[in-house]
Amino acid sequence: MENSTLATVATIAELLSKASSVFEEKFGEVPAVAGCAPGRVNLIGEHTDYNDGFVFPMALPQVTILVGRKTSSGICRVMTTSDAADEPKLTEFPLPTSEKPLMPGLPKWANYVKGVVQNFKGSLCSFDAVVVTSVPLGGGVSSSASLEVATYTFLEELTGCKATDLKQKALACQKAEHDFPKMPCGIMDQFISVMAQEGNALLLDCRTMEATQIPLNDPNIVILVTNSNVKHELTGSEYPTRRRQCEEAAACLGKKSLRDTTFEELLAHKDSMEPVVFKRARHVIGEIKRTVEGAAALQKGDYDLFGKLMLESHKSLSDDYEVSCAELDELVEAAMTVDGVYGSRMTGGGFGGCTVTLVKKEAVTRAVGTMQEKYNGNASFYLSVASDGARGLKL
């Protein structure tokens, strides 16, 4: 199978051109400013961020872009071009005030934008905007944080009120997701979308928010992101359930979070917690350890060890955390039959979405061909490099 099976990703220039054309057609003017933010793939460290643990993501070449301009109407009008977003594609809402803050509602996609507008740290003005994205929605590569951070960056460009503390920018976007779509996410997705540096993955301590850039630019190594193109409609309820189970385990152990405990302490309390709560905690404690070891391995160029840790992570996510699914398991198993593949695992929240595979560059064609052949569905494959974080764009 030739590398033509690899999906092509729209360039930033192509996305900007599309957004500008749609904006001009819809609003009758050319846009004045643009903000851009990437999606992400998490190399290892899944469901650890809301447990004060470590995560190890990198930004993807896929991005969300907002283009637009100031208005004097006091009404914000935003249009999305995404086919995957719910209707209507054009929404409008007033500028928030202390007496009348914005509230979540329909369409659902607009809640991510409204949440950021509500939580923006600066003086606001009304605006018209168009959203374009190359980040797959529901693919486990954080299209939501990409939209939030792109919106915040767009507002910075629009108002000139630029964040001096990038952590606060990421936290404002996280709060937007908590308050509007009502998803109790950890800090990883917004943080990497804000902080990413080209050619590096980011080891992030989700307790201290200390971030360490780890070079990921070996030309002989490829990160292959595979979208299963399935999304089981479970995550709305399952994610908060997993979070509650982790909090229950920590409380049973007398700890602030599972970051503070060890396998030995967990085993000592096994009989005092429900079996499912024990399993959830076992995943998190092991995954935090794997993430720290994985970052150290990658820094040393020990791809064999990193691949082994990726597989252990997937097995734990499948068996103990129960957030994988048949399609993701199938893709990981297929990848691991290929000579030149170091490791593979599900990435993101689970129940569908993507896998991430560490593979030798010369083995990419074999890996893609084998995975497509052995997978019962129709997967999409993306060669990914560690990309840049949020930024304003020149129009």
Side-chain angles (χ1 to χ4, degrees), residues 11 23 30 37 77-78 80 112 143 165 193 199 209 269 277 286 343 370 386:
T11 65
F23 186 91
V30 294
R77 298 186 295 176
V78 187
T80 179
Y112 298 94
S143 57
D165 184 342
S193 193
M209 295 192 199
H269 287 78
V277 172
T370 301

Side-chain angles (χ1 to χ4, degrees), residues 129-373:
V130 165
V131 181
V132 296
T133 190
S134 57
V135 185
L137 271 67
V141 288
S142 201
S143 57
S144 56
S146 176
L147 175 54
E148 291 152 9
V149 175
T151 300
Y152 201 105
T153 306
F154 166 77
L155 293 175
E156 289 178 318
E157 296 293 312
L158 192 73
T159 64
C161 300
K162 299 198 178 184
T164 53
D165 184 342
L166 294 181
K167 291 180 185 178
Q168 293 308 312
K169 177 176 175 177
L171 287 167
C173 292
Q174 180 199 32
K175 189 172 188 303
E177 187 153 340
H178 287 185
D179 292 351
F180 278 71
K182 305 292 186 184
M183 183 63 79
C185 61
I187 190 59
M188 170 178 67
D189 297 350
Q190 293 81 7
F191 211 100
I192 183 65
S193 193
V194 170
M195 298 279 191
Q197 292 179 13
E198 188 176 355
N200 292 274
L202 192 77
L203 179 64
L204 173 63
D205 182 334
C206 296
R207 169 170 285 170
T208 65
M209 295 192 199
E210 182 183 342
T212 307
Q213 301 285 347
I214 306 287
L216 182 58
N217 51 16
D218 186 331
N220 300 310
I221 298 297
V222 166
I223 302 294
L224 178 65
V225 178
T226 304
N227 191 345
S228 67
N229 288 317
V230 298
K231 191 65 183 171
H232 299 288
E233 291 299 324
L234 294 168
T235 44
S237 60
E238 294 289 339
Y239 184 100
T241 298
R242 295 298 184 284
R243 189 162 185 160
R244 282 196 303 273
Q245 288 165 337
C246 291
E247 289 165 355
E248 186 180 327
C252 184
L253 291 159
K255 304 289 187 180
K256 185 186 172 202
S257 76
L258 291 175
R259 163 75 175 271
D260 299 316
T261 196
T262 63
F263 277 126
E264 291 73 24
E265 288 171 322
L266 179 64
L267 285 169
H269 287 78
K270 183 176 182 179
D271 294 337
S272 62
M273 60 180 73
E274 291 178 30
V276 70
V277 172
F278 173 81
K279 285 169 64 179
R280 303 298 188 250
R282 182 166 61 187
H283 163 72
V284 171
I285 295 165
E287 188 79 347
I288 290 171
K289 185 171 184 287
R290 282 188 289 270
T291 305
V292 175
E293 290 176 357
L298 211 55
Q299 194 155 29
K300 291 186 293 189
D302 190 343
Y303 304 121
D304 289 316
L305 176 56
F306 193 84
K308 176 173 171 283
L309 293 166
M310 289 176 81
L311 270 179
E312 288 176 6
S313 170
H314 183 80
K315 182 171 172 49
S316 179
L317 286 159
S318 183
D319 297 346
D320 276 354
Y321 222 64
E322 296 180 280
V323 291
S324 188
C325 60
E327 293 89 349
L328 294 174
D329 292 346
E330 205 172 83
L331 286 168
V332 168
E333 287 165 20
M336 293 314 300
T337 66
V338 178
D339 184 35
V341 167
Y342 291 104
S344 187
R345 60 184 286 277
M346 62 153 278
T347 185
F351 307 110
C354 293
T355 64
V356 57
T357 303
L358 187 72
V359 56
K360 290 179 182 175
K361 188 175 183 180
E362 54 90 14
V364 168
T365 301
R366 291 198 304 276
V368 170
T370 301
M371 291 169 80
Q372 188 67 78
E373 182 187 338

Side-chain angles (χ1 to χ4, degrees), residues 13 54 65 97 230 301:
F54 289 86
I65 292 174
T97 65
V230 298

Side-chain angles (χ1 to χ4, degrees), residues 16 124 244 249 313 394:
L16 262 181
L124 283 166
R244 282 196 303 273
S313 170
K394 284 188 169 65

